[in-house]
Amino acid sequence: MRLPPQPDERIDREAAIPFTFHGSRVTGFAGDTIASALFGEGQRVYSRSFKYHRARGLLCCSGNCPNCMMRVDGVPNVRTCVTPLHEGAKVEAQNFWGSLDHDLLTLTDKVGGPFTPVGFYYRTMIRPRRAWPLYERFLRSVAGLGKVEKHGGRTRRYDVEHRRADVLVVGASEAGVESAREAAGREGRVVLVDNGLDPLPDLEGVEAVRGTAIGVYEGGLVPVDAGTVLHRYRAGRVVVAAGAIEQPLLFPGNDLVGVVLPEAVRRLVGRWSLRPGARAVVVSADQRGLETVSLLEQAGTEVAEAVDLRTTRVREIAARGRGGRVASVELDGKKLDCDLLVMSGGRQPAYALLAHAGASVEYDPGRGIFLTSAIPQGVDAVGAAAGDGVAAAAPSATYNGASGKGKCFVCICEDVTDKDVKRAIAEGFDSIELAKRYTTVTMGPCQGKLCHLPSIRLYARENETDEASIGTTTARPPWQPVELGLLAGRPHEPAQRTSIHHRHKELGAKMMWTGTWRRPHSYGDPSGEAKNVHDALGVIDVSTLGKLVVRGPDAAAFLERLYPNRFGDMKTGRIRYGVLGSDAGRIMDDGTIARLAEEDYYVTTTSTGAGAVLEWFEWWNAVWGLDVGIANVTGALAAVNVAGPHARELMSRLTDLDVSNDAFTYLDAKHAHVAGVPSLVLRIGFVGELGYEIHFPSPYGEHVWNSILERGADLGALPFGLEPQRILRLEKMHILVGQDTDSESNVFEASMPWIAKMDKDDFVGKWSLERVQERGFREQLVGFEMANGVVPPEGGQIVVDGRPGGRVTSSRWSQHLGKAIGMGWVPPELAEDGAEIAIKVDGSVERAHVRLRPFFDPDGEHLRT
Amino acid sequence: MSFLLPCPNCGPRPVDEFSCAGEVTVRPQGAPSLRELTSYLYFKRNVAGVQREWWCHRLGCEAWFTAERDTRTNEVLSIDVPEPAGPAAPDAPPLPDTPAV
């Protein structure tokens, strides 16, 4: 039922909006919020409270308290009093068993009182000990408010936008609008952010944005919650005009349905033409509360009594309820029947954003509020947020909860009563920060908006001190509840594809992630693909390899300093394997380095290490200042590796190079045209067979790939993926950095001592490697083959004398060798060819034998012929 | 951490575009003792105050530079770009002419 049209009403009575509440069809008007429409339909109970499941109704009607939180269209914890109604909205109340009006869990309120103080589950539910899992399951099922659908799909899409503002004004209050108007046209881009229900003000030169500023971070970063978009504003100057927040009074029954703050009356009557109750009592410590009297009369509500606590001394206030709704109020024993109780404890400036920015917060005993001072540069406070015209003197009538009957709530979000707070103090939680964490006051959805000031007053009173010495707790963002999806944003996972990507898909490749790259895992038959490399000819896309050009008069010296190997003595056109280490001697990356000219090196890195290696190179060169330049050509060049006994025949068809073993030997690098494309051809053999790695401009990726498959068709040319490549490299005992090595591995213990040229004057990591030589090995990376063909899990345990003594880093079944093979770290005394080790596989222990030389072609004849 | 860091090439940018390589250390010369080595590797001064540190504009121009930053307030007092030794930056990677396919 609505009142006759009110002078400033914001509803359009012509535009009915149907929606559903618990499946029933109900109607509101355009201009309604969900809560006001439900109020119009006669709904008074909106939710059940956090712990005691007490009935709760509209209290602040301003989006501060938790009472109106409902599930809307599947989204839990929506504050319906500030959520505009939309057609077809599916609205459901939260946190009850049974029904909203008859919640079975109100039992906790009726009988649970003495058994459910703060932290009750750690006190009353500890015995018998073995029953804790049962308790826990029950507690978890009843804890919390809204429920997230565990298996629900993604219903909303969230985005993050980065925006700039020279001046960002938070709050379209009078003072906020004034600040924006002043700044407009003088201070560049002026943005006004407001989360109210009224239309945004249209000011010249001001961009008005609907949203909630949820925090102020350093560097003028202000995230603004705009529903499904988070605007990350970088502001030169932030003006906080967030206003002030009406404070409740503390008395028994202060949470009953029908106990409201003045703004609720203002909005219900003035905005939505709703009669808040039939008979009202007003108890107010400021003018705002008293101002509701005329509004109530206007709405036809009988005002039984209006008490100004500033002039009338009331010792005890107590509200009595029936069925969770207020039925009467006792003022010093005088009983007044009513179904509406307007309480006002004054207002507290909304200082949270200022505190985030680093302002200090102090209690002003004269006005009874917390005020900010020492506001940092670049941040201003205006209007009520700065304390203008705001006061919240503490009336002596409140905080007498202990003497009255019924619960007196300090914190309605978390259902914390004055008794809980007193008990916490009695237990020794005398510091406000500790008491906060123990009682959880200020930690609920309102984030202290309604409980911070009253709770600190109560602490002060109980500790017989003043509020100023109690101090305040740290305000942290977010200042308003935020949907988690908004903080996560849309997943921006960059995906890198090689220029041959689409051919892989056409060939039926199963794709996988390696770092940010998409690569073919295999084309359906990893074993078969590996076998084809041994028997005929395989081709793999290795465009993902990091590729760096290092050039300049000091290029050789630069690489000599960075790598443990030697590069200065390399002949032009030759290739060397290099392992990059840190000054702590740890293996960072590996790859091949080709000397293309006297002052020109071509460095390849692992697929995932390219960025880190480039950064590493650039950093050291910033330190050394050598005459060398580094260019990253990873994306510019594609690369494919052709390997297998027929690789030479294929290359002779694709190039006019003399590919005979004498003219183009193992570890040679040559420029050539491959299938007409100018390329750099490296003869290397990661997979153990005669192989050529062809590097060429990316745009020709598909052309070169197709040419290889077409011209090599009669040679048995087939593509192979990453998985077969891993089998093949394991047969050769070639390490994968990051797989076989970790952040503790060095080249000595990783069984590559030949890499480190310890007679060099200096290289990055030399001293640490000397230390490893001095102290002796602690473990060593070796190969192993299983005695009876079981493939152990990667990461599995190597058992020495019944105790964990090492770990498996790689393991595969090799079809070609007919063996289960692997690599792993073992104690140095077991690093001997043929030594027997034991590996845990599925709980049982399997025997294996250590191998120090490659399983396949240990002398590298296949590579060299 | 959401302060703005002035990149020598790109100007003030959000700090999450950069990678920080920690305080500027002095790499020992010659043959350091074990103590010198471990001090260099593991013992940082970790001051509460102004510290010189290495930064790289990783998601921008990729330049390395040092910055003097107050670790208590994240105020950046100055930045410095190490002097290159000579004009040796390679040109763009050689992209060959369109081949005759």
Side-chain angles (χ1 to χ4, degrees):
Chain A
M1 280 298 292
R2 304 275 171 160
L3 300 168
Q6 300 292 302
D8 293 322
E9 72 176 20
R10 305 292 165 83
I11 48 170
D12 179 356
R13 294 178 190 242
E14 304 299 311
I17 297 185
F19 67 108
T20 65
F21 181 56
H22 284 288
S24 313
R25 298 169 66 85
V26 281
T27 319
F29 295 117
D32 264 327
T33 63
I34 291 170
S36 72
L38 287 172
F39 199 94
E41 291 279 356
Q43 192 67 33
R44 293 296 178 267
V45 178
Y46 280 72
S47 64
R48 288 285 170 170
S49 71
F50 181 72
K51 191 158 98 181
Y52 297 120
H53 287 258
R54 288 166 68 99
R56 294 276 163 86
L58 294 183
L59 168 65
C60 70
C61 230
S62 325
N64 291 330
C65 77
N67 286 7
C68 67
M69 293 205 303
M70 291 185 176
R71 187 184 168 85
V72 178
D73 298 331
V75 179
N77 300 339
V78 174
R79 286 161 297 148
T80 55
C81 74
V82 288
T83 306
L85 179 64
H86 62 271
E87 190 171 333
K90 285 197 189 67
V91 183
E92 293 161 309
Q94 311 183 136
N95 203 35
F96 57 81
W97 278 17
S99 75
L100 180 59
D101 292 323
H102 301 284
D103 181 358
L104 301 175
L105 285 173
T106 43
L107 204 63
T108 54
D109 186 29
K110 305 244 160 50
V111 302
F115 308 109
T116 53
V118 262
F120 66 92
Y121 33 86
Y122 296 129
R123 307 161 183 277
T124 48
M125 289 192 166
I126 54 170
R127 284 195 188 87
R129 223 184 149 75
R130 62 175 185 280
W132 172 250
L134 285 175
Y135 295 147
E136 191 189 14
R137 201 186 301 167
F138 171 74
L139 287 169
R140 290 216 184 276
S141 71
V142 298
L145 295 173
K147 294 269 184 283
V148 176
E149 270 180 55
K150 261 190 199 160
H151 305 291
R154 182 194 287 267
T155 52
R156 297 230 258 176
R157 191 143 218 172
Y158 299 92
D159 271 310
V160 175
E161 273 186 30
H162 296 260
R163 293 187 173 194
R164 284 192 157 276
D166 293 295
V167 181
L168 181 76
V169 183
V170 179
S173 60
E174 213 170 290
V177 169
E178 194 47 45
S179 300
R181 189 176 284 133
E182 262 174 38
R186 287 198 299 171
E187 289 188 70
R189 189 169 176 193
V190 181
V191 177
L192 174 64
V193 176
D194 185 68
N195 64 354
L197 294 168
D198 291 323
L200 291 164
D202 185 16
L203 304 172
E204 204 185 317
V206 177
E207 187 193 344
V209 174
R210 174 73 75 215
T212 308
I214 57 176
V216 175
Y217 295 81
E218 65 183 346
L221 178 67
V222 182
V224 173
D225 171 354
T228 53
V229 184
L230 186 76
H231 301 300
R232 281 169 58 106
Y233 272 102
R234 277 286 176 182
R237 189 163 76 89
V238 181
V239 181
V240 177
I245 298 158
E246 292 180 343
Q247 297 296 306
L249 297 174
L250 299 198
F251 54 84
N254 64 344
D255 73 319
L256 290 168
V257 175
V259 178
V260 299
L261 290 163
E263 183 65 19
V265 175
R266 284 163 187 265
R267 293 196 179 191
L268 286 173
V269 178
R271 182 179 281 274
W272 298 306
S273 302
L274 292 161
R275 196 173 67 152
R279 195 161 191 267
V281 172
V282 179
V283 183
S284 177
D286 69 350
Q287 202 56 33
R288 274 179 85 81
L290 300 176
E291 282 166 7
T292 60
V293 172
S294 60
L295 266 173
L296 288 168
E297 282 166 351
Q298 184 187 321
T301 304
E302 180 195 345
V303 180
E305 180 124 9
V307 184
D308 185 346
L309 294 172
R310 293 170 299 182
T311 54
T312 313
R313 217 179 137 73
V314 181
R315 284 188 304 106
E316 268 186 43
I317 308 172
R320 306 272 175 243
R322 199 177 304 126
R325 294 170 63 167
V326 67
S328 64
V329 181
E330 285 168 24
L331 301 173
D332 283 340
K334 185 171 82 172
K335 190 177 170 199
L336 296 161
D337 288 335
C338 65
D339 63 351
L340 182 72
L341 172 57
V342 183
M343 63 170 170
S344 177
R347 291 193 303 158
Q348 160 64 45
Y351 67 74
L353 295 177
L354 298 165
H356 297 169
S360 34
V361 180
E362 274 148 23
Y363 190 71
D364 177 348
R367 296 158 72 186
I369 51 175
F370 283 96
L371 284 173
T372 43
S373 58
I375 297 172
Q377 236 188 340
V379 182
D380 293 307
V382 296
D388 290 355
V390 181
S396 59
T398 58
Y399 314 122
N400 289 352
S403 63
K405 267 198 201 161
K407 291 189 173 78
C408 165
F409 286 89
V410 178
C411 164
I412 55 164
C413 295
E414 307 269 299
D415 266 1
V416 182
T417 65
D418 62 332
K419 278 188 191 146
D420 292 324
V421 173
K422 287 171 188 170
R423 183 168 177 162
I425 293 166
E427 286 177 13
F429 290 93
D430 50 357
S431 143
I432 183 71
E433 287 283 8
L434 293 178
K436 163 185 150 181
R437 283 155 180 79
Y438 182 57
T439 61
T440 70
V441 172
T442 72
M443 289 166 70
C446 93
Q447 285 291 290
K449 292 188 186 74
L450 300 183
C451 52
H452 180 244
L453 182 64
S455 65
I456 285 179
R457 284 204 187 133
L458 188 57
Y459 287 122
R461 216 179 126 100
E462 289 300 313
N463 284 316
E464 293 171 3
T465 177
D466 52 16
E467 288 84 347
S469 22
I470 293 289
T472 179
T473 54
T474 310
R476 295 186 184 85
W479 148 247
Q480 290 276 14
V482 184
E483 285 178 45
L484 284 176
L486 197 63
L487 299 182
R490 184 185 294 193
H492 287 287
E493 186 76 35
Q496 288 181 283
R497 294 169 170 181
T498 73
S499 58
I500 312 170
H501 184 84
H502 293 285
R503 289 295 292 132
H504 300 318
K505 301 280 271 191
E506 285 160 19
L507 288 163
K510 186 175 134 200
M511 304 304 282
M512 63 181 277
W513 289 99
T514 54
T516 53
W517 285 102
R518 302 287 288 146
R519 296 193 70 182
H521 169 272
S522 66
Y523 299 83
D525 178 15
S527 272
E529 290 163 29
K531 186 168 184 299
N532 191 55
V533 175
H534 283 305
D535 296 347
L537 184 56
V539 50
I540 181 170
D541 179 3
V542 291
S543 304
T544 59
L545 290 173
K547 308 169 201 79
L548 306 176
V549 173
V550 178
R551 190 181 295 171
D554 291 335
F558 178 72
L559 294 173
E560 288 263 344
R561 284 201 201 182
L562 270 175
Y563 283 84
N565 319 44
R566 215 183 283 288
F567 293 101
D569 63 351
M570 272 172 81
K571 289 197 178 68
T572 299
R574 291 292 289 166
I575 302 167
R576 216 164 257 175
Y577 173 67
V579 177
L580 198 60
S582 72
D583 245 342
R586 285 159 190 163
I587 296 174
M588 295 171 62
D589 203 85
D590 70 344
T592 55
I593 291 120
R595 189 171 203 171
L596 304 180
E598 185 62 22
E599 299 182 358
D600 191 359
Y601 289 83
Y602 185 74
V603 179
T604 66
T605 77
T606 61
S607 294
T608 49
V613 171
L614 175 67
E615 212 171 298
W616 183 250
F617 277 24
E618 295 279 11
W619 187 24
W620 280 103
N621 201 35
V623 176
W624 291 328
L626 292 175
D627 193 354
V628 63
I630 303 142
N632 181 9
V633 295
T634 301
L637 300 182
V640 294
N641 192 340
V642 291
H646 301 323
R648 180 170 291 119
E649 171 59 24
L650 175 80
M651 290 305 285
S652 72
R653 295 179 188 182
L654 291 173
T655 72
D656 35 23
L657 266 186
D658 178 357
V659 291
S660 69
N661 200 31
D662 293 333
F664 195 171
T665 62
Y666 182 55
L667 297 181
D668 265 358
K670 285 187 193 300
H671 285 290
H673 280 67
V674 177
V677 178
S679 311
L680 175 65
V681 185
L682 311 175
R683 188 175 159 194
I684 51 179
F686 187 53
V687 294
E689 293 288 353
L690 168 68
Y692 301 88
E693 199 169 271
I694 309 160
H695 294 243
F696 55 93
S698 268
Y700 303 110
E702 291 203 11
H703 163 70
V704 172
W705 178 266
N706 291 344
S707 303
I708 290 168
L709 288 180
E710 281 161 22
R711 306 283 296 278
D714 60 319
L715 303 171
L718 287 174
F720 65 106
L722 208 53
E723 176 56 25
Q725 188 201 38
R726 286 185 174 174
I727 300 172
L728 293 163
R729 70 92 198 174
L730 189 58
E731 291 170 353
K732 284 297 287 180
M733 231 182 264
H734 287 151
I735 66 156
L736 280 183
V737 172
Q739 168 91 24
D740 300 302
T741 66
D742 57 32
S743 63
E744 293 298 305
S745 310
N746 58 66
V747 289
F748 285 135
E749 289 172 327
S751 305
M752 297 186 285
W754 73 90
I755 289 278
K757 305 299 177 205
M758 300 304 285
D759 57 336
K760 288 207 292 188
D761 278 348
D762 187 12
F763 61 84
V764 172
K766 184 188 177 196
W767 309 315
S768 294
L769 289 177
E770 283 173 350
R771 276 290 304 146
V772 175
Q773 287 180 316
E774 280 167 39
R775 69 156 160 82
F777 292 4
R778 291 175 179 157
E779 53 179 2
Q780 210 173 320
L781 183 63
V782 297
F784 61 81
E785 56 185 64
M786 303 301 290
N788 48 13
V790 185
V791 181
E794 291 182 343
Q797 204 177 78
I798 295 174
V799 187
V800 180
D801 298 333
R803 299 168 64 86
R807 63 199 179 279
V808 176
T809 57
S810 296
S811 58
R812 287 289 187 279
W813 172 257
S814 165
Q815 192 71 44
H816 189 71
L817 302 170
K819 287 174 186 167
I821 55 172
M823 289 174 80
W825 291 88
V826 297
E829 59 271 20
L830 288 175
E832 263 180 53
D833 210 62
E836 188 174 304
I837 56 171
I839 299 173
K840 261 196 178 166
V841 183
D842 290 336
S844 64
V845 174
E846 297 285 342
R847 284 184 309 122
H849 292 97
V850 169
R851 293 284 174 256
L852 298 181
R853 305 193 66 216
F855 304 104
F856 170 73
D857 186 26
D859 298 316
E861 284 160 12
H862 287 246
L863 296 172
R864 289 185 173 81
T865 52
Chain B
M1 294 262 275
S2 66
F3 63 98
L4 298 173
L5 187 66
C7 168
N9 299 321
C10 313
R13 300 293 304 169
V15 70
D16 41 8
E17 291 182 6
F18 298 82
S19 57
C20 180
E23 62 192 61
V24 173
T25 52
V26 179
R27 196 165 182 266
Q29 300 294 312
S33 67
L34 180 59
R35 175 156 290 276
E36 285 165 344
L37 178 60
T38 49
S39 300
Y40 158 63
L41 288 175
Y42 304 114
F43 290 89
K44 307 295 174 189
R45 290 176 58 233
N46 198 24
V47 297
V50 177
Q51 161 172 296
R52 251 185 95 220
E53 50 201 22
W54 279 108
W55 289 86
C56 172
H57 196 191
R58 192 166 57 92
L59 303 180
C61 63
E62 298 184 342
W64 279 95
F65 58 98
T66 61
E68 288 204 323
R69 179 178 66 104
D70 191 324
T71 59
R72 297 162 302 183
T73 60
N74 284 335
E75 188 189 354
V76 180
L77 307 172
S78 67
I79 56 164
D80 188 43
V81 186
E83 287 290 316
D91 301 320
L95 272 184
D97 297 330
T98 308
V101 177

